[in-house]
Amino acid sequence: MALKIITDSATDMPKHIVEEYGLHVIPTPVVIEEKDYFDGKTVFPEEFYDILRSGKDVKTYHINQQMFYDNFKPYAEAGDEVIYVCFSTGIAGTFNAANLAKRELLEEFPDFQITIVDSKCASLGFGIIVLYALQMQKNGASKEKIVEALEWHRDHMEHIITVETLEYLQKGGRLSKASAIAGGILDIKPIIEVNDDGALVAIEKTRGRARSLKRLIEIVGERGADLAVQTLGIVHGDCYDTLCEVRKTLEEKYGCTKFEENYVGCAIGAHTGPGIIGITFLNEPSPYKEYLD
């Protein structure tokens, strides 16, 4: 019996981590012009943002019970233990669907050991707590210790985000049409966080792209701990040059040295659009450093 840690593509997990750990990543569905695709499997961020810019109809839905059943069943058949870390319940219904699949599988495989952890995180905030779990497993931590650490890192992970356009927040129902129009005229750029419930909420408004990026970096300094030694995540919506500018400023301002970077994938990118920049980091030093690389 082996312990397997699995997750989903809303982690925006960098490819090198997936390959290094052989991580099973369940793809999130995305519907483009009424046809189903799967994030990181049949549609990729490098092309996805061009699809958004083209004006095609794009929707997302969460991984459903049958998809989870199909992904979990091989582990049940093999007698493996599983920790599945899922996309935040504050954004999608993933946690409930995974638990329904778990119940169904336990009727067939009553000895199947699967623990489902609500990440209450998104994008690389989600990805980094999974990375820490993988590192802990590699370094000999028990299943119980890994689950405990997942919950601690989840509760101390900050996500600070800004967008370049309000169009996609309005399309996704997170902003009224009138507010989007007024915000566009005034060049409003919201500062968004993932709150304690795992939901995306606007916490501040700035005017102009430069000010919004500056404010992101200021908040990292206000909330972050051990910034010079912890791993920060930076994600972008097809604006890698901007990501590089943000990374350079974090290096110069706070002495940051460890980063993971990636596109914002389809699960979130469909609702935020091109130009999103996000930074994820811990607000307290991790008490599990002995297990982390």
Side-chain angles (χ1 to χ4, degrees):
M1 180 186 291
L3 174 63
K4 305 291 186 180
I5 297 170
I6 65 177
T7 191
D8 58 67
S9 67
T11 53
D12 296 336
M13 190 69 83
K15 184 178 179 181
H16 76 92
I17 295 173
V18 175
E19 293 176 346
E20 178 181 351
Y21 290 94
L23 179 64
H24 181 170
V25 179
I26 304 172
T28 300
V30 57
V31 183
I32 303 170
E33 297 290 320
E34 305 304 321
K35 181 179 179 181
D36 281 4
Y37 294 83
F38 295 92
D39 186 14
K41 185 175 181 181
T42 57
V43 63
F44 300 88
E46 294 87 342
E47 60 184 319
F48 182 68
Y49 286 96
D50 287 335
I51 292 169
L52 288 179
R53 292 187 186 99
S54 75
K56 291 182 179 179
D57 182 48
V58 176
K59 300 183 181 72
T60 61
Y61 62 94
H62 66 74
I63 302 164
N64 63 35
Q65 179 180 346
Q66 185 61 50
M67 295 171 188
F68 280 121
Y69 177 91
D70 293 341
N71 279 275
F72 292 161
K73 187 176 180 181
Y75 298 106
E77 292 174 330
D80 292 329
E81 286 188 79
V82 168
I83 299 172
Y84 167 59
V85 193
C86 78
F87 192 18
S88 173
T89 51
I91 301 174
T94 312
F95 182 76
N96 290 335
N99 274 288
L100 288 172
K102 173 183 176 178
R103 289 176 204 162
E104 185 179 357
L105 280 163
L106 286 174
E107 293 178 3
E108 297 178 59
F109 305 92
D111 296 327
F112 182 37
Q113 299 294 313
I114 178 169
T115 301
I116 299 171
V117 178
D118 177 6
S119 72
K120 295 187 181 180
C121 291
S123 193
L124 262 180
F126 179 11
I128 287 173
I129 73 166
V130 174
L131 171 61
Y132 288 157
L134 293 167
Q135 290 176 349
M136 290 182 69
Q137 182 184 26
K138 181 185 74 173
N139 292 324
S142 66
K143 177 183 177 181
E144 293 72 23
K145 184 67 72 175
I146 293 169
V147 171
E148 174 189 294
L150 277 164
E151 293 173 347
W152 190 93
H153 289 127
R154 168 193 73 191
D155 293 342
H156 292 85
M157 184 61 69
E158 299 278 353
H159 311 65
I160 305 298
I161 302 153
T162 192
V163 295
E164 191 166 30
T165 172
L166 302 178
E167 174 186 352
Y168 298 89
L169 294 174
Q170 185 262 315
K171 284 181 178 179
R174 289 179 167 85
L175 190 68
S176 71
K177 187 172 183 179
S179 295
I181 292 170
I185 293 169
L186 296 171
D187 200 20
I188 296 297
K189 310 296 183 187
I191 304 298
I192 300 166
E193 71 173 5
V194 176
N195 68 10
D196 291 342
D197 296 323
L200 290 166
V201 294
I203 56 169
E204 295 181 19
K205 295 177 182 177
T206 61
R207 293 187 68 172
R209 179 69 158 176
R211 289 183 183 178
S212 69
L213 296 172
K214 180 181 178 183
R215 185 65 188 128
L216 285 194
I217 291 163
E218 288 173 350
I219 294 173
V220 174
E222 293 165 4
R223 298 188 184 183
D226 276 358
L227 290 172
V229 296
Q230 69 157 291
T231 298
L232 285 75
I234 315 179
V235 287
H236 70 104
D238 203 28
C239 52
Y240 185 68
D241 288 348
T242 304
L243 180 151
C244 292
E245 293 171 9
V246 168
R247 183 185 63 220
K248 182 179 179 182
T249 303
L250 289 167
E251 291 169 342
E252 293 174 348
K253 193 174 181 69
Y254 305 125
C256 302
T257 58
K258 297 172 68 175
F259 299 94
E260 292 294 345
E261 303 170 355
N262 208 356
Y263 279 89
V264 174
C266 305
I268 295 174
H271 306 285
T272 55
I276 180 175
I277 288 286
I279 309 172
T280 67
F281 55 96
L282 291 175
N283 58 26
E284 289 188 24
S286 173
Y288 301 93
K289 291 180 182 178
E290 64 183 291
Y291 294 106
L292 304 179
D293 293 345

